[in-house]
Amino acid sequence: MRIDIITVAPELLESPFNHSMIKRAIDKGLAEVHLQDLRNYGLGNYRQIDDYQYGGGAGMVLMIEPIATCIEKLLAEREYDEVIYMTPDAKTLTQPVSNALSLKKQILILTGHYKGVDQRIRDKYITMEISIGDYVLTGGELAAAVLCDSVIRLIPEVLGDETSALTDSFQDNLLSPPVYTRPAIFQGMKVPDILLSGNFPKIETWRSEKALERTQQLRPDLLDE
Ligand code: 6GU
């Protein structure tokens, strides 16, 4: 999978892609991420990329020309399966969305800053808009990193244990059950006996019950879906 990210703050995205699971996916050749610095497409000597909004109001808006020039250049080089705009005023990212995106070959992500981008960019180029939750971030970069992490880990062969992505919280609309490792007793706190029993069918039943219990307590909304 190839992911291009158009950003005004490429440095914000370098660290997430140079560590952990994403780096391994990139090293294995399963994913490539290309950062496109919007400043390179800015207007005039000052490489202007933002301007005051029509109609007045606080906050700058990313201008149409630099983004259009950048997107047109990329679209001329390859076909993208989706052109995604990261913005808080969109539907919230969910596991099924990440699952679907993990099957794509080429994705272009536009991250906003300030008050966002000129609406005409969204009208003309964007095929999908994604928010990562009901709170506001300074820019879309960290949100894009979250999206890429959730998608790249689902690409077959990225995770060491092939099955572990399938047992994540949310894959079956349930939160994960509690997990334990050694020691069996720490300061008097014991690991549940069932997990030490070796009775795997019973352990699976226990895990399902705990997952349901936790979901009922913390996220009853998931059970309505
Ligand atoms: Cl995608 N962008 C920004 N700036 N804030 C957010 C977000 C995105 N998702 C949640 N908050």
Side-chain angles (χ1 to χ4, degrees), residues 86-88 130-133 135-140 143:
M86 303 305 302
T87 177
I130 296 177
S131 161
I132 63 162
Y135 44 82
V136 177
L137 303 169
T138 315

Short mmCIF file of all heavy atoms in Angstrom, two decimals, residues 86-88 130-133 135-140 143, ligand 1:
data_model
loop_
_atom_site.label_atom_id
_atom_site.label_comp_id
_atom_site.label_asym_id
_atom_site.label_seq_id
_atom_site.Cartn_x
_atom_site.Cartn_y
_atom_site.Cartn_z
N MET A 86 -8.76 14.82 6.42
CA MET A 86 -8.86 14.67 7.86
C MET A 86 -9.43 15.95 8.45
O MET A 86 -8.83 17.03 8.31
CB MET A 86 -7.47 14.41 8.48
CG MET A 86 -6.72 13.20 7.95
SD MET A 86 -7.62 11.64 8.04
CE MET A 86 -7.96 11.52 9.79
N THR A 87 -10.58 15.86 9.10
CA THR A 87 -11.23 17.06 9.64
C THR A 87 -12.18 16.68 10.77
O THR A 87 -12.81 15.61 10.71
CB THR A 87 -12.02 17.80 8.53
OG1 THR A 87 -12.70 18.93 9.09
CG2 THR A 87 -13.03 16.88 7.86
N PRO A 88 -12.28 17.53 11.81
CA PRO A 88 -13.21 17.18 12.89
C PRO A 88 -14.67 17.23 12.44
O PRO A 88 -15.52 16.59 13.07
CB PRO A 88 -12.93 18.22 13.97
CG PRO A 88 -12.10 19.28 13.35
CD PRO A 88 -11.46 18.70 12.13
N ILE A 130 -12.77 12.10 7.19
CA ILE A 130 -12.66 11.32 8.42
C ILE A 130 -12.26 12.21 9.59
O ILE A 130 -11.32 13.00 9.50
CB ILE A 130 -11.63 10.18 8.27
CG1 ILE A 130 -12.08 9.19 7.20
CG2 ILE A 130 -11.38 9.47 9.60
CD1 ILE A 130 -11.08 8.06 6.94
N SER A 131 -12.97 12.05 10.72
CA SER A 131 -12.60 12.63 12.01
C SER A 131 -12.15 11.47 12.90
O SER A 131 -12.57 10.33 12.68
CB SER A 131 -13.81 13.33 12.62
OG SER A 131 -13.62 13.52 14.01
N ILE A 132 -11.31 11.73 13.89
CA ILE A 132 -10.94 10.63 14.78
C ILE A 132 -11.62 10.75 16.14
O ILE A 132 -11.31 10.00 17.06
CB ILE A 132 -9.41 10.43 14.94
CG1 ILE A 132 -8.77 11.66 15.58
CG2 ILE A 132 -8.77 10.09 13.62
CD1 ILE A 132 -7.38 11.36 16.16
N GLY A 133 -12.57 11.68 16.29
CA GLY A 133 -13.29 11.74 17.55
C GLY A 133 -13.84 13.13 17.81
O GLY A 133 -13.47 14.09 17.13
N TYR A 135 -13.47 15.88 19.49
CA TYR A 135 -12.62 16.84 20.18
C TYR A 135 -11.80 17.49 19.09
O TYR A 135 -11.72 16.96 17.98
CB TYR A 135 -11.71 16.14 21.21
CG TYR A 135 -11.11 14.88 20.66
CD1 TYR A 135 -9.97 14.94 19.85
CD2 TYR A 135 -11.70 13.64 20.87
CE1 TYR A 135 -9.44 13.79 19.31
CE2 TYR A 135 -11.17 12.49 20.32
CZ TYR A 135 -10.04 12.57 19.54
OH TYR A 135 -9.52 11.44 18.97
N VAL A 136 -11.19 18.65 19.38
CA VAL A 136 -10.49 19.38 18.32
C VAL A 136 -8.97 19.32 18.51
O VAL A 136 -8.47 19.59 19.60
CB VAL A 136 -10.97 20.84 18.26
CG1 VAL A 136 -10.20 21.61 17.20
CG2 VAL A 136 -12.46 20.90 17.98
N LEU A 137 -8.26 18.95 17.45
CA LEU A 137 -6.80 18.97 17.43
C LEU A 137 -6.34 20.20 16.67
O LEU A 137 -7.08 20.77 15.87
CB LEU A 137 -6.27 17.72 16.73
CG LEU A 137 -6.70 16.37 17.30
CD1 LEU A 137 -6.31 15.25 16.35
CD2 LEU A 137 -6.07 16.16 18.66
N THR A 138 -5.08 20.59 16.89
CA THR A 138 -4.52 21.75 16.20
C THR A 138 -4.50 21.56 14.69
O THR A 138 -4.69 22.48 13.92
CB THR A 138 -3.08 22.00 16.69
OG1 THR A 138 -3.08 21.87 18.10
CG2 THR A 138 -2.59 23.35 16.29
N GLY A 139 -4.21 20.33 14.28
CA GLY A 139 -4.16 20.04 12.86
C GLY A 139 -4.51 18.59 12.61
O GLY A 139 -4.66 17.81 13.54
N GLY A 140 -4.61 18.23 11.35
CA GLY A 140 -5.00 16.87 11.00
C GLY A 140 -3.85 15.87 11.01
O GLY A 140 -4.06 14.68 10.79
N ALA A 143 -4.09 13.15 13.61
CA ALA A 143 -5.24 12.32 13.21
C ALA A 143 -4.85 11.41 12.04
O ALA A 143 -5.22 10.23 12.02
CB ALA A 143 -6.42 13.21 12.83
CL1 6GU B 1 -9.19 14.66 11.59
N1 6GU B 1 -8.55 16.99 12.65
C1 6GU B 1 -8.55 17.88 13.65
N2 6GU B 1 -7.93 19.06 13.47
N3 6GU B 1 -9.12 17.67 14.83
C2 6GU B 1 -9.72 16.49 14.99
C3 6GU B 1 -9.76 15.51 14.01
C4 6GU B 1 -9.16 15.80 12.81
N4 6GU B 1 -10.45 14.46 14.48
C5 6GU B 1 -10.81 14.79 15.71
N5 6GU B 1 -10.38 16.00 16.03
#
